[in-house]
Amino acid sequence: MKAQGCILFSLILTILAGCTDDYDLQKSVFIKDRQFAELPAYSEWGYNTFGAYYGNEVFLSNDYLIPARVIAGDNSMAFMLTGQKGPSDDYSGNNEMTLTFLLNGYSPVYYQDLTVFNDSIIDLRNPAWQVVITIGAMEYTVDLLSGELEFKRVQHLLVDKSPMEVIMSGYFEFQGSLNGNPISVTHGRFDVGIDGGNFNRLASTGPR
């Protein structure tokens, strides 16, 4: 399972290197959470925001980077959140961070297939799943002790009865170690739109 995840993640990096500007992202709508003012409030409107506490820092979406991508392989997929580590008014490019959830056993063909995740909770302790954190040029696989990724609502957005995107909303948190150091990501929430621009289906890498 982990070998498949590594192969998928290597292909992901190749894709991202060539398509950072091919997605016309609408500006994010950041509405502060009443309890955790540094984070966006949970929403289900496709506001293209996410946020979490990364230890004592914040991990947030911003207006400079595509907040979410889904990349699917033969029998696995990656759900990726890309933003910055640190306050929302302090983006320099040096604090860019990507959180990737590698999920084996899921292989959506089209972005519309992502609705299969509606109202589902993924226990990240399952060895079939992996969490990878990329900070700058460094990539780390989290040694998980506990954690959940909840897709509370995954819904089609229709405009004049035509499908425009799938809105994925939910929560995440996990604890473990990263490069030998303890890590805790808490109060994570996301509300992101996925369409043909930020959904990629990889070509087959061999027999299933």
Side-chain angles (χ1 to χ4, degrees):
M1 290 291 188
K2 290 190 175 182
Q4 289 181 340
C6 291
I7 292 171
L8 176 62
F9 194 68
S10 297
L11 292 172
I12 286 169
L13 296 179
T14 302
I15 286 178
L16 294 183
C19 60
T20 55
D21 297 320
D22 62 353
Y23 179 54
D24 185 15
L25 178 68
Q26 294 183 351
K27 187 175 181 179
S28 301
V29 179
F30 189 98
I31 299 175
K32 291 183 178 181
D33 187 275
R34 292 183 179 181
Q35 184 176 3
F36 306 104
E38 295 176 293
L39 304 181
Y42 174 78
S43 58
E44 297 178 350
W45 294 95
Y47 283 165
N48 285 320
T49 57
F50 67 78
Y53 285 110
Y54 180 89
N56 294 324
E57 296 183 273
V58 290
F59 168 49
L60 297 169
S61 54
N62 61 33
D63 290 329
Y64 305 99
L65 301 167
I66 298 170
R69 288 186 183 273
V70 172
I71 299 179
D74 284 343
N75 192 40
S76 59
M77 63 164 272
F79 176 57
M80 309 175 69
L81 300 174
T82 298
Q84 66 185 66
K85 185 161 64 75
S88 58
D89 59 352
D90 188 31
Y91 176 66
S92 64
N94 296 323
N95 54 352
E96 183 175 327
M97 173 175 157
T98 297
L99 173 62
T100 302
F101 298 96
L102 290 169
L103 309 176
N104 285 300
Y106 297 98
S107 186
V109 177
Y110 307 104
Y111 75 85
Q112 294 91 338
D113 298 331
L114 294 171
T115 54
V116 69
F117 288 103
N118 184 57
D119 192 25
S120 63
I121 297 176
I122 292 174
D123 185 350
L124 296 174
R125 294 175 301 175
N126 187 323
W129 321 140
Q130 287 179 268
V131 176
V132 177
I133 291 177
T134 305
I135 302 175
M138 303 301 294
E139 302 158 16
Y140 307 94
T141 298
V142 180
D143 186 8
L144 292 164
L145 295 176
S146 63
E148 287 186 345
L149 170 62
E150 177 181 2
F151 293 100
K152 185 174 182 181
R153 189 173 185 190
V154 183
Q155 57 184 316
H156 291 288
L157 174 64
L158 303 178
V159 176
D160 295 329
K161 298 183 179 180
S162 297
M164 297 297 294
E165 65 179 13
V166 167
I167 298 173
M168 306 185 78
S169 305
Y171 299 98
F172 61 92
E173 65 176 17
F174 56 86
Q175 292 76 40
S177 61
L178 187 72
N179 201 28
N181 299 310
I183 180 178
S184 178
V185 173
T186 57
H187 302 293
R189 69 283 311 271
F190 58 90
D191 177 24
V192 295
I194 304 294
D195 62 14
N198 56 346
F199 175 89
N200 295 93
R201 173 77 189 181
L202 300 177
S204 177
T205 56
R208 299 188 181 186

